[in-house]
């Protein structure tokens, strides 16, 4: 009897591993290049992630794909968030990750005292890239819901995400940010917001960016405090960081995709803790040899 239970448990583990392996390999990644004639043919490269079977069903007109936009951090490539793209794609989303900055762009300069510390032009450029990428993607995959998208972003990409949500709330289904530092959260409760916050002394949110606990509760905002550093929240980060973020993100999607009325789960595995209040900061600075994504 014990042997039978052991065999059954072993089979269950193998089947689970096979499922996740198959899901990963069932996702197609492709990078396409678009050129915006309205901006001197500016290059907007886009990484696409989608499940093969869902794409075939959409091509046949059987389903309409939900859409996720992933926005990269400063100095980080648009292809460096596959650990996020795969979570969404595995759930049947069409994932679009545009490249917002180019080597030919002027350097970003921080101007203390100006709105968003002087980064509004770069944020607005990101918004223009998103709208242009969506318009071009409609030609490639018309059977997707581009009218209301899930917007995701890390660092500077998180600021682009939040700014887009503020300017175009009717185009948003839900929002996920990873350590956005400049643009304050939208607190009108029009959609669910999930935000992962780092434990990093070098990268601190500006005053007023992250709402307090009461505002979060009223607005449907879930703040996840992590032990990880700001630059850990991408493909080059440690596996522990990526795995923990994926776990919480998957639970958030399971909840919000099935019902907008059910609460977001808060029993998050260590090292994540859910806290709808301000983020505590650690005393371990980001290593100097890591690219800065703010």
């Amino acid at each position: 009897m014990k042997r039978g239970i052991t065999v059954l448990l072993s089979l269950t583990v193998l089947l689970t591993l096979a499922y996740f392996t198959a899901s990963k390999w069932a996702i197609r990644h492709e990078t396409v290049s678009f050129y915006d004639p309205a901006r001197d043919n500016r290059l907007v490269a886009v990484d696409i992630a989608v499940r093969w079977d869902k794409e075939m069903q959409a091509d046949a007109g059987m389903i309409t794909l939900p859409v996720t936009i992933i926005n990269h951090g400063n100095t980080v490539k648009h292809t460096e968030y596959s650990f996020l793209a795969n979570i969404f794609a595995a759930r049947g989303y069409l994932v679009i990750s545009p490249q917002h900055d180019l080597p030919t762009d002027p350097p970003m300069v921080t101007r203390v005292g100006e709105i968003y510390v002087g980064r509004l032009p770069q944020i607005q450029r990101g918004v223009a890239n998103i709208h242009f990428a969506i318009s071009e993607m409609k030609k490639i995959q018309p059977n997707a819901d581009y009218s209301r998208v899930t917007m995701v972003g890390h660092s500077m990409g998180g600021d682009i995400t939040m700014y887009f949500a503020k300017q175009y709330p009717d185009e948003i289904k839900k929002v996920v940010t990873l350590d956005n530092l400049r643009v304050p959260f939208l607190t009108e409760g029009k959609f669910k917001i999930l935000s992962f916050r780092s434990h990093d002394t070098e990268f601190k949110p500006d005053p007023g960016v992250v709402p307090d606990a009461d505002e979060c509760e009223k607005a449907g905002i879930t703040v996840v405090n992590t032990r990880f550093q700001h630059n850990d929240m991408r493909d080059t980060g440690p596996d522990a960081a990526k795995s923990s973020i994926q776990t919480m993100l998957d639970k958030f999607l399971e909840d919000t995709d099935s019902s907008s009325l059910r609460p977001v789960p808060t029993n998050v595995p260590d090292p994540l803790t859910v806290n709808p209040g301000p983020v505590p900061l650690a005393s371990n600075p980001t290593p100097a040899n890591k690219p800065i994504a703010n």
Side-chain angles (χ1 to χ4, degrees):
M1 181 67 177
K2 290 183 178 179
R3 182 182 177 186
I5 294 174
T6 302
V7 172
L8 180 60
L9 289 174
S10 299
L11 288 173
T12 302
V13 171
L14 288 174
L15 288 172
T16 301
L17 290 172
Y19 169 78
F20 282 109
T21 301
S23 295
K24 180 178 179 181
W25 286 109
I27 297 170
R28 180 177 73 83
H29 284 267
E30 178 188 6
T31 297
V32 296
S33 298
F34 301 130
Y35 295 89
D36 188 356
R39 294 182 291 167
D40 297 324
N41 285 324
R42 178 184 178 84
L43 169 65
V44 180
V46 171
D47 184 70
I48 302 169
V50 63
R51 265 175 51 176
W52 288 98
D53 59 333
K54 295 298 183 181
E55 184 177 38
M56 291 175 63
Q57 292 174 31
D59 289 342
M62 298 170 60
I63 63 171
T64 300
L65 296 168
V67 175
T68 295
I69 309 292
I70 296 180
N71 302 296
H72 63 84
N74 180 40
T75 76
V76 183
K77 298 299 182 183
H78 67 303
T79 54
E80 292 188 47
Y81 295 90
S82 62
F83 84 103
L84 294 176
N86 288 339
I87 287 290
F88 285 97
R91 283 189 164 272
Y93 284 76
L94 171 64
V95 185
I96 304 168
S97 305
Q99 179 66 41
H100 291 305
D101 48 37
L102 302 174
T104 53
D105 291 335
M108 186 169 59
V109 179
T110 297
R111 300 183 181 90
V112 178
E114 293 189 15
I115 186 171
Y116 310 138
V117 198
R119 298 184 178 186
L120 182 58
Q122 286 79 16
I123 293 172
Q124 291 175 328
R125 181 177 66 202
V127 171
N129 290 338
I130 293 168
H131 275 142
F132 175 67
I134 288 175
S135 68
E136 294 301 299
M137 283 300 302
K138 289 178 180 178
K139 303 172 186 176
I140 296 177
Q141 179 50 268
N143 295 321
D145 183 11
Y146 302 99
S147 62
R148 294 183 67 235
V149 303
T150 296
M151 196 68 66
V152 183
H154 172 225
S155 192
M156 181 68 172
D159 288 324
I160 292 172
T161 292
M162 202 62 70
Y163 184 85
F164 189 104
K166 284 175 174 288
Q167 298 298 312
Y168 305 99
D170 293 338
E171 299 178 21
I172 295 293
K173 184 175 293 183
K174 47 187 169 278
V175 164
V176 179
T177 71
L178 299 93
D179 231 23
N180 59 304
L181 305 176
R182 313 294 180 185
V183 180
F185 282 55
L186 190 70
T187 57
E188 297 177 6
K190 293 188 175 182
F191 35 74
K192 294 290 185 180
I193 297 176
L194 171 66
S195 183
F196 296 92
R197 314 307 305 180
S198 72
H199 225 138
D200 199 317
T201 56
E202 183 175 349
F203 297 95
K204 301 179 182 180
D206 290 343
V209 169
V210 182
D212 61 29
D214 290 339
E215 287 181 297
C216 286
E217 185 176 357
K218 293 176 182 177
I221 298 170
T222 299
V223 174
V224 180
N225 299 312
T226 80
R227 297 180 184 175
F228 307 118
Q229 295 184 334
H230 181 84
N231 286 316
D232 289 342
M233 298 178 173
R234 49 193 171 103
D235 284 352
T236 56
D239 290 340
K242 292 181 289 186
S243 177
S244 296
I245 291 171
Q246 284 178 319
T247 298
M248 183 59 187
L249 176 58
D250 194 55
K251 290 181 178 180
F252 174 76
L253 293 176
E254 181 179 1
D255 178 81
T256 55
D257 285 347
S258 59
S259 171
S260 60
L261 299 178
R262 291 164 50 196
V264 176
T266 57
N267 54 334
V268 187
D270 187 61
L272 295 181
T273 58
V274 174
N275 183 351
V279 182
L281 297 173
S283 57
N284 50 338
T286 302
N289 61 343
K290 297 185 72 174
I292 295 176
N294 61 343

